[in-house]
Amino acid sequence: SVAAGGKLLVVPVDGSHWLSMREVLDGLRQKGHEIVVVAPEFRLQIKPSENYILKTYSVPFTQEEMEEDF
Protein backbone atom coordinates (compact mmCIF):
# COMPACT_ATOMS: atom_id res chain seq x y z
CA SER A 1 0.00 0.00 0.00
CA VAL A 2 0.99 3.63 -0.37
CA ALA A 3 0.81 4.37 3.37
CA ALA A 4 1.02 2.23 6.46
CA GLY A 5 -0.88 2.84 9.69
CA GLY A 6 0.84 5.34 11.92
CA LYS A 7 0.29 7.72 14.78
CA LEU A 8 -1.58 10.98 14.37
CA LEU A 9 -1.88 13.90 16.83
CA VAL A 10 -4.89 16.15 16.24
CA VAL A 11 -5.53 19.54 17.88
CA PRO A 12 -8.92 20.50 16.42
CA VAL A 13 -11.10 23.62 16.57
CA ASP A 14 -14.50 22.94 18.12
CA GLY A 15 -17.60 23.46 15.97
CA SER A 16 -18.34 22.69 12.34
CA HIS A 17 -14.65 22.18 11.51
CA TRP A 18 -14.56 19.33 14.01
CA LEU A 19 -17.65 17.66 12.52
CA SER A 20 -15.89 17.39 9.14
CA MET A 21 -12.58 16.36 10.68
CA ARG A 22 -14.22 13.60 12.74
CA GLU A 23 -15.32 11.82 9.56
CA VAL A 24 -11.76 11.93 8.23
CA LEU A 25 -10.41 10.57 11.52
CA ASP A 26 -12.92 7.71 11.45
CA GLY A 27 -11.65 6.75 7.99
CA LEU A 28 -8.01 6.95 9.08
CA ARG A 29 -8.73 4.77 12.11
CA GLN A 30 -10.26 2.12 9.85
CA LYS A 31 -7.00 2.13 7.89
CA GLY A 32 -5.01 1.35 11.03
CA HIS A 33 -3.88 4.75 12.28
CA GLU A 34 -3.63 5.43 16.02
CA ILE A 35 -5.16 8.85 16.73
CA VAL A 36 -4.84 11.12 19.77
CA VAL A 37 -7.09 14.20 19.91
CA VAL A 38 -6.07 17.04 22.26
CA ALA A 39 -8.92 19.36 23.29
CA PRO A 40 -9.87 21.74 26.11
CA GLU A 41 -11.69 20.14 29.04
CA PHE A 42 -14.78 22.25 28.24
CA ARG A 43 -15.88 21.82 24.63
CA LEU A 44 -19.10 21.74 22.60
CA GLN A 45 -18.75 19.16 19.81
CA ILE A 46 -15.61 17.16 20.58
CA LYS A 47 -16.71 14.02 22.41
CA PRO A 48 -14.90 10.80 23.36
CA SER A 49 -14.94 8.05 20.73
CA GLU A 50 -13.67 4.51 20.32
CA ASN A 51 -11.90 5.71 17.14
CA TYR A 52 -9.42 7.96 18.97
CA ILE A 53 -7.91 8.72 22.36
CA LEU A 54 -9.17 12.02 23.79
CA LYS A 55 -6.72 13.96 25.99
CA THR A 56 -7.94 17.17 27.63
CA TYR A 57 -6.23 20.19 29.13
CA SER A 58 -7.44 22.75 31.68
CA VAL A 59 -8.79 26.13 30.61
CA PRO A 60 -9.48 29.29 32.65
CA PHE A 61 -13.28 29.25 32.15
CA THR A 62 -16.27 27.05 32.98
CA GLN A 63 -18.60 25.12 30.68
CA GLU A 64 -21.38 27.61 31.51
CA GLU A 65 -19.21 30.62 30.56
CA MET A 66 -18.28 29.01 27.27
CA GLU A 67 -21.89 28.16 26.40
CA GLU A 68 -22.95 31.70 27.36
CA ASP A 69 -20.41 33.19 24.95
CA PHE A 70 -21.72 31.03 22.11
Coordinates of all heavy atoms in Angstrom, one line a residue:
S1 N 0.8 -1.2 0.0 CA 0.0 0.0 0.0 C 0.9 1.2 0.0 O 2.1 1.2 0.3 CB -0.9 0.0 1.2 OG -0.2 0.2 2.4
V2 N 0.3 2.4 -0.3 CA 1.0 3.6 -0.4 C 1.4 4.1 1.0 O 2.5 4.7 1.2 CB 0.1 4.7 -1.1 CG1 0.8 6.0 -1.1 CG2 -0.2 4.2 -2.5
A3 N 0.5 3.9 2.0 CA 0.8 4.4 3.4 C 0.5 3.3 4.4 O -0.5 2.5 4.2 CB 0.0 5.6 3.7
A4 N 1.3 3.2 5.4 CA 1.0 2.2 6.5 C 0.4 3.0 7.6 O 0.6 4.2 7.8 CB 2.3 1.6 6.9
G5 N -0.3 2.2 8.5 CA -0.9 2.8 9.7 C 0.2 3.5 10.6 O 1.2 2.9 10.8
G6 N -0.1 4.6 11.1 CA 0.8 5.3 11.9 C 0.1 6.1 13.0 O -1.0 5.8 13.3
K7 N 0.8 7.0 13.7 CA 0.3 7.7 14.8 C 0.0 9.1 14.3 O 0.8 9.7 13.6 CB 1.3 7.7 15.9 CG 1.5 6.4 16.5 CD 2.4 6.4 17.7 CE 2.6 5.0 18.2 NZ 3.3 5.0 19.5
L8 N -1.1 9.7 14.8 CA -1.6 11.0 14.4 C -2.0 11.8 15.6 O -2.8 11.3 16.4 CB -2.7 10.8 13.4 CG -3.4 12.1 12.8 CD1 -2.3 12.8 11.9 CD2 -4.6 11.7 12.0
L9 N -1.5 13.0 15.8 CA -1.9 13.9 16.8 C -2.8 15.0 16.2 O -2.3 15.6 15.3 CB -0.7 14.5 17.5 CG -0.9 15.6 18.6 CD1 -1.7 14.9 19.8 CD2 0.3 16.2 19.0
V10 N -3.9 15.2 16.8 CA -4.9 16.1 16.2 C -5.2 17.2 17.3 O -5.6 16.8 18.4 CB -6.2 15.4 15.8 CG1 -7.2 16.4 15.2 CG2 -5.9 14.4 14.7
V11 N -5.1 18.5 17.0 CA -5.5 19.5 17.9 C -6.6 20.3 17.1 O -6.3 21.3 16.4 CB -4.3 20.4 18.3 CG1 -4.8 21.5 19.3 CG2 -3.2 19.6 18.8
P12 N -7.9 19.9 17.2 CA -8.9 20.5 16.4 C -9.5 21.8 17.0 O -9.3 22.1 18.2 CB -10.0 19.4 16.4 CG -9.8 18.8 17.8 CD -8.3 18.8 18.1
V13 N -10.3 22.5 16.2 CA -11.1 23.6 16.6 C -12.5 23.1 16.7 O -13.0 22.4 15.9 CB -11.1 24.7 15.5 CG1 -12.0 25.9 15.9 CG2 -9.6 25.2 15.3
D14 N -13.1 23.4 17.9 CA -14.5 22.9 18.1 C -15.5 23.6 17.1 O -15.3 24.7 16.7 CB -14.9 23.3 19.6 CG -15.9 22.3 20.2 OD1 -16.5 21.5 19.4 OD2 -16.1 22.4 21.4
G15 N -16.6 22.9 16.8 CA -17.6 23.5 16.0 C -17.7 22.7 14.7 O -17.3 21.5 14.6
S16 N -18.1 23.4 13.6 CA -18.3 22.7 12.3 C -17.1 22.1 11.7 O -17.1 21.1 11.0 CB -19.0 23.6 11.3 OG -18.2 24.7 11.1
H17 N -15.9 22.7 12.0 CA -14.6 22.2 11.5 C -14.4 20.8 12.1 O -13.9 19.9 11.4 CB -13.5 23.1 11.9 CG -13.5 24.4 11.2 ND1 -14.1 25.5 11.7 CD2 -13.0 24.8 10.0 CE1 -14.0 26.5 10.8 NE2 -13.3 26.1 9.8
W18 N -14.8 20.6 13.4 CA -14.6 19.3 14.0 C -15.5 18.3 13.4 O -15.1 17.1 13.2 CB -14.8 19.4 15.5 CG -14.9 18.1 16.1 CD1 -16.0 17.5 16.7 CD2 -13.9 17.1 16.3 NE1 -15.7 16.3 17.2 CE2 -14.4 16.0 16.9 CE3 -12.5 17.1 15.9 CZ2 -13.7 14.9 17.2 CZ3 -11.8 16.0 16.2 CH2 -12.4 14.9 16.8
L19 N -16.7 18.6 13.1 CA -17.6 17.7 12.5 C -17.1 17.1 11.2 O -17.2 15.9 11.0 CB -19.0 18.3 12.3 CG -19.7 18.8 13.6 CD1 -21.0 19.5 13.2 CD2 -19.9 17.7 14.6
S20 N -16.5 17.9 10.4 CA -15.9 17.4 9.1 C -14.6 16.6 9.4 O -14.4 15.5 8.8 CB -15.5 18.6 8.2 OG -16.7 19.3 7.9
M21 N -13.8 17.0 10.4 CA -12.6 16.4 10.7 C -12.8 15.0 11.3 O -12.1 14.0 11.0 CB -11.7 17.2 11.6 CG -10.4 16.6 11.9 SD -9.4 17.5 13.1 CE -9.0 18.9 12.0
R22 N -13.9 14.9 12.1 CA -14.2 13.6 12.7 C -14.4 12.5 11.7 O -14.0 11.4 11.9 CB -15.4 13.8 13.6 CG -15.7 12.5 14.5 CD -16.9 12.7 15.4 NE -18.1 13.0 14.5 CZ -19.2 13.6 14.9 NH1 -19.3 14.1 16.2 NH2 -20.2 13.8 14.1
E23 N -15.1 12.8 10.6 CA -15.3 11.8 9.6 C -14.0 11.4 9.0 O -13.8 10.2 8.7 CB -16.2 12.4 8.5 CG -17.7 12.6 8.9 CD -18.5 13.1 7.8 OE1 -18.3 12.8 6.6 OE2 -19.5 13.8 8.1
V24 N -13.1 12.3 8.8 CA -11.8 11.9 8.2 C -11.0 11.0 9.2 O -10.4 10.0 8.8 CB -10.9 13.2 7.9 CG1 -9.5 12.9 7.6 CG2 -11.6 14.0 6.8
L25 N -11.1 11.4 10.5 CA -10.4 10.6 11.5 C -11.0 9.2 11.6 O -10.2 8.2 11.8 CB -10.5 11.2 12.9 CG -9.8 12.6 13.0 CD1 -10.0 13.1 14.4 CD2 -8.4 12.5 12.6
D26 N -12.3 9.0 11.4 CA -12.9 7.7 11.5 C -12.4 6.9 10.3 O -12.1 5.7 10.5 CB -14.4 7.8 11.3 CG -15.1 8.4 12.6 OD1 -14.4 8.5 13.6 OD2 -16.3 8.8 12.5
G27 N -12.2 7.5 9.1 CA -11.6 6.8 8.0 C -10.2 6.4 8.2 O -9.8 5.2 7.9
L28 N -9.4 7.3 8.8 CA -8.0 7.0 9.1 C -7.9 5.8 10.1 O -7.0 5.0 10.0 CB -7.3 8.2 9.6 CG -7.0 9.3 8.5 CD1 -6.5 10.6 9.2 CD2 -6.1 8.8 7.4
R29 N -8.8 5.8 11.1 CA -8.7 4.8 12.1 C -9.0 3.4 11.5 O -8.4 2.4 11.8 CB -9.8 5.1 13.2 CG -9.9 4.0 14.2 CD -8.6 4.0 15.1 NE -8.8 3.0 16.1 CZ -7.9 2.0 16.4 NH1 -6.8 2.0 15.8 NH2 -8.2 1.2 17.4
Q30 N -9.9 3.4 10.5 CA -10.3 2.1 9.8 C -9.1 1.6 9.0 O -9.0 0.4 8.8 CB -11.5 2.3 8.9 CG -12.8 2.5 9.7 CD -13.9 2.8 8.8 OE1 -13.8 2.9 7.6 NE2 -15.1 3.1 9.4
K31 N -8.2 2.5 8.7 CA -7.0 2.1 7.9 C -5.8 1.8 8.8 O -4.7 1.6 8.3 CB -6.6 3.2 6.9 CG -7.7 3.4 5.8 CD -7.2 4.5 4.8 CE -8.3 4.7 3.8 NZ -8.3 3.7 2.8
G32 N -6.0 1.8 10.1 CA -5.0 1.3 11.0 C -4.2 2.4 11.8 O -3.3 2.1 12.5
H33 N -4.6 3.7 11.6 CA -3.9 4.7 12.3 C -4.3 4.8 13.7 O -5.5 4.6 14.1 CB -4.2 6.1 11.6 CG -3.6 6.2 10.2 ND1 -2.3 6.6 10.0 CD2 -4.2 5.9 9.0 CE1 -2.1 6.5 8.7 NE2 -3.2 6.1 8.1
E34 N -3.3 5.2 14.6 CA -3.6 5.4 16.0 C -3.7 6.9 16.2 O -2.8 7.7 15.8 CB -2.5 4.9 16.9 CG -2.7 5.1 18.4 CD -1.6 4.6 19.2 OE1 -0.8 3.7 18.7 OE2 -1.4 5.1 20.3
I35 N -4.9 7.4 16.7 CA -5.2 8.8 16.7 C -5.3 9.3 18.2 O -6.1 8.7 19.0 CB -6.4 9.2 15.9 CG1 -6.3 8.6 14.5 CG2 -6.8 10.6 16.0 CD1 -7.6 8.6 13.7
V36 N -4.7 10.5 18.5 CA -4.8 11.1 19.8 C -5.4 12.5 19.5 O -4.8 13.3 18.7 CB -3.5 11.2 20.6 CG1 -3.7 12.0 21.8 CG2 -3.0 9.8 20.9
V37 N -6.5 12.9 20.1 CA -7.1 14.2 19.9 C -6.9 15.0 21.2 O -7.2 14.5 22.3 CB -8.6 14.1 19.6 CG1 -9.3 15.5 19.6 CG2 -8.8 13.4 18.3
V38 N -6.3 16.2 21.1 CA -6.1 17.0 22.3 C -7.1 18.2 22.2 O -7.1 18.9 21.2 CB -4.6 17.6 22.3 CG1 -4.4 18.5 23.4 CG2 -3.6 16.4 22.2
A39 N -7.9 18.3 23.3 CA -8.9 19.4 23.3 C -9.1 20.0 24.7 O -8.7 19.3 25.7 CB -10.2 18.7 22.8
P40 N -9.6 21.2 24.8 CA -9.9 21.7 26.1 C -10.9 20.9 26.9 O -11.7 20.2 26.3 CB -10.4 23.1 25.8 CG -10.9 23.1 24.4 CD -10.1 22.0 23.7
E41 N -10.8 21.0 28.2 CA -11.7 20.1 29.0 C -13.2 20.5 28.9 O -14.0 19.7 29.0 CB -11.3 20.2 30.5 CG -11.5 21.5 31.2 CD -11.1 21.4 32.7 OE1 -11.2 20.4 33.3 OE2 -10.6 22.4 33.2
F42 N -13.4 21.8 28.5 CA -14.8 22.2 28.2 C -14.9 22.5 26.7 O -14.2 23.3 26.2 CB -15.1 23.5 29.0 CG -15.0 23.3 30.5 CD1 -14.1 24.1 31.2 CD2 -15.8 22.4 31.2 CE1 -14.0 23.9 32.6 CE2 -15.7 22.2 32.5 CZ -14.8 23.0 33.3
R43 N -15.8 21.7 26.1 CA -15.9 21.8 24.6 C -17.3 21.5 24.2 O -18.1 20.9 25.0 CB -14.9 20.8 24.0 CG -15.1 19.4 24.4 CD -13.8 18.6 24.4 NE -14.1 17.3 24.9 CZ -14.1 17.0 26.2 NH1 -13.7 17.8 27.1 NH2 -14.3 15.7 26.5
L44 N -17.7 21.9 23.0 CA -19.1 21.7 22.6 C -19.3 20.5 21.8 O -20.2 19.6 22.1 CB -19.5 22.9 21.8 CG -19.6 24.3 22.5 CD1 -19.8 25.4 21.5 CD2 -20.6 24.3 23.6
Q45 N -18.5 20.3 20.8 CA -18.7 19.2 19.8 C -17.8 18.0 20.0 O -18.1 16.9 19.6 CB -18.6 19.7 18.4 CG -19.6 20.8 18.0 CD -21.0 20.3 17.9 OE1 -21.2 19.1 17.6 NE2 -21.9 21.2 18.1
I46 N -16.6 18.2 20.5 CA -15.6 17.2 20.6 C -15.9 16.2 21.7 O -15.9 16.6 22.9 CB -14.2 17.8 20.7 CG1 -13.9 18.7 19.6 CG2 -13.2 16.7 20.8 CD1 -12.7 19.6 19.8
K47 N -16.3 15.0 21.4 CA -16.7 14.0 22.4 C -15.8 12.8 22.3 O -15.2 12.5 21.3 CB -18.2 13.6 22.2 CG -19.2 14.7 22.1 CD -19.4 15.3 23.4 CE -20.5 16.4 23.3 NZ -20.3 17.5 24.2
P48 N -15.7 12.0 23.4 CA -14.9 10.8 23.4 C -15.4 9.8 22.3 O -16.6 9.9 22.0 CB -15.1 10.2 24.8 CG -15.5 11.4 25.6 CD -16.2 12.3 24.7
S49 N -14.6 9.0 21.8 CA -14.9 8.0 20.7 C -14.0 6.8 20.8 O -12.9 6.9 21.3 CB -14.8 8.7 19.3 OG -14.9 7.7 18.3
E50 N -14.5 5.7 20.3 CA -13.7 4.5 20.3 C -12.7 4.6 19.2 O -11.7 3.8 19.1 CB -14.5 3.3 20.2 CG -15.4 3.2 19.0 CD -16.3 2.0 18.9 OE1 -16.8 1.6 20.0 OE2 -16.6 1.5 17.8
N51 N -12.8 5.6 18.3 CA -11.9 5.7 17.1 C -10.7 6.5 17.4 O -9.8 6.6 16.6 CB -12.6 6.3 15.9 CG -13.6 5.3 15.3 OD1 -13.4 4.1 15.4 ND2 -14.7 5.9 14.8
Y52 N -10.6 7.2 18.6 CA -9.4 8.0 19.0 C -9.3 8.1 20.5 O -10.3 7.9 21.2 CB -9.4 9.4 18.3 CG -10.7 10.1 18.6 CD1 -10.9 10.8 19.8 CD2 -11.7 10.2 17.6 CE1 -12.1 11.6 20.0 CE2 -12.9 10.9 17.9 CZ -13.0 11.6 19.0 OH -14.2 12.3 19.3
I53 N -8.1 8.5 20.9 CA -7.9 8.7 22.4 C -8.1 10.2 22.6 O -7.5 11.0 21.8 CB -6.5 8.3 22.8 CG1 -6.3 6.8 22.5 CG2 -6.2 8.7 24.2 CD1 -4.9 6.3 22.6
L54 N -8.9 10.6 23.5 CA -9.2 12.0 23.8 C -8.4 12.4 25.0 O -8.6 11.9 26.1 CB -10.7 12.3 24.0 CG -11.0 13.7 24.3 CD1 -10.6 14.7 23.2 CD2 -12.5 13.8 24.6
K55 N -7.5 13.4 24.9 CA -6.7 14.0 26.0 C -7.2 15.4 26.2 O -7.3 16.1 25.2 CB -5.2 14.0 25.7 CG -4.6 12.6 25.5 CD -4.5 11.9 26.8 CE -3.7 10.6 26.6 NZ -3.5 9.8 27.8
T56 N -7.5 15.8 27.4 CA -7.9 17.2 27.6 C -6.9 18.0 28.4 O -6.1 17.4 29.1 CB -9.3 17.1 28.4 OG1 -9.1 16.5 29.6 CG2 -10.4 16.4 27.6
Y57 N -7.1 19.3 28.3 CA -6.2 20.2 29.1 C -7.1 21.2 29.8 O -8.2 21.5 29.3 CB -5.1 20.9 28.3 CG -5.7 21.6 27.1 CD1 -6.0 23.0 27.2 CD2 -5.8 21.0 25.8 CE1 -6.4 23.7 26.1 CE2 -6.3 21.7 24.7 CZ -6.6 23.1 24.9 OH -7.0 23.7 23.8
S58 N -6.7 21.8 30.9 CA -7.4 22.8 31.7 C -7.5 24.1 30.9 O -6.6 24.5 30.2 CB -6.8 23.0 33.0 OG -6.8 21.8 33.8
V59 N -8.6 24.8 31.2 CA -8.8 26.1 30.6 C -9.3 27.0 31.7 O -9.9 26.6 32.7 CB -9.8 26.1 29.4 CG1 -9.1 25.4 28.2 CG2 -11.1 25.4 29.8
P60 N -9.1 28.4 31.6 CA -9.5 29.3 32.7 C -10.9 29.8 32.6 O -11.2 30.9 32.9 CB -8.5 30.5 32.5 CG -8.3 30.5 31.0 CD -8.3 29.0 30.6
F61 N -11.9 28.9 32.2 CA -13.3 29.2 32.1 C -14.1 28.0 32.4 O -13.6 26.9 32.3 CB -13.7 29.9 30.8 CG -13.3 29.2 29.6 CD1 -14.0 28.1 29.1 CD2 -12.1 29.5 28.9 CE1 -13.7 27.4 28.0 CE2 -11.7 28.8 27.8 CZ -12.5 27.7 27.3
T62 N -15.4 28.2 32.7 CA -16.3 27.0 33.0 C -17.1 26.7 31.7 O -17.1 27.5 30.8 CB -17.2 27.4 34.1 OG1 -18.1 28.4 33.7 CG2 -16.5 27.8 35.4
Q63 N -17.7 25.5 31.8 CA -18.6 25.1 30.7 C -19.7 26.1 30.5 O -20.1 26.5 29.4 CB -19.2 23.7 31.0 CG -20.1 23.2 29.9 CD -19.3 22.6 28.7 OE1 -18.2 22.2 28.9 NE2 -19.9 22.7 27.6
E64 N -20.3 26.6 31.6 CA -21.4 27.6 31.5 C -20.9 28.9 30.8 O -21.6 29.5 30.0 CB -21.9 27.9 32.9 CG -22.6 26.7 33.5 CD -21.7 25.7 34.2 OE1 -20.5 26.0 34.5 OE2 -22.1 24.5 34.3
E65 N -19.7 29.4 31.2 CA -19.2 30.6 30.6 C -19.0 30.4 29.1 O -19.3 31.3 28.3 CB -17.9 31.0 31.2 CG -18.0 31.5 32.6 CD -16.7 31.7 33.3 OE1 -15.7 31.0 33.1 OE2 -16.6 32.6 34.2
M66 N -18.5 29.3 28.7 CA -18.3 29.0 27.3 C -19.6 29.0 26.5 O -19.8 29.6 25.5 CB -17.5 27.7 27.1 CG -17.2 27.4 25.6 SD -16.5 25.8 25.3 CE -17.8 24.7 25.7
E67 N -20.6 28.3 27.1 CA -21.9 28.2 26.4 C -22.6 29.5 26.3 O -23.2 29.8 25.3 CB -22.8 27.1 27.1 CG -22.3 25.7 26.9 CD -23.1 24.7 27.7 OE1 -24.0 25.1 28.5 OE2 -22.7 23.5 27.6
E68 N -22.4 30.4 27.3 CA -23.0 31.7 27.4 C -22.4 32.5 26.2 O -23.1 33.3 25.6 CB -22.7 32.3 28.7 CG -23.4 33.6 29.0 CD -23.2 34.1 30.4 OE1 -23.7 33.5 31.3 OE2 -22.4 35.1 30.5
D69 N -21.1 32.4 26.0 CA -20.4 33.2 24.9 C -20.9 32.8 23.6 O -21.0 33.6 22.7 CB -18.9 33.0 25.0 CG -18.3 33.8 26.2 OD1 -19.0 34.7 26.7 OD2 -17.1 33.5 26.5
F70 N -21.2 31.5 23.4 CA -21.7 31.0 22.1 C -23.2 31.3 22.0 O -23.8 31.4 21.0 CB -21.4 29.5 21.9 CG -20.0 29.3 21.5 CD1 -19.1 28.9 22.5 CD2 -19.6 29.4 20.2 CE1 -17.8 28.6 22.1 CE2 -18.3 29.1 19.9 CZ -17.4 28.8 20.8

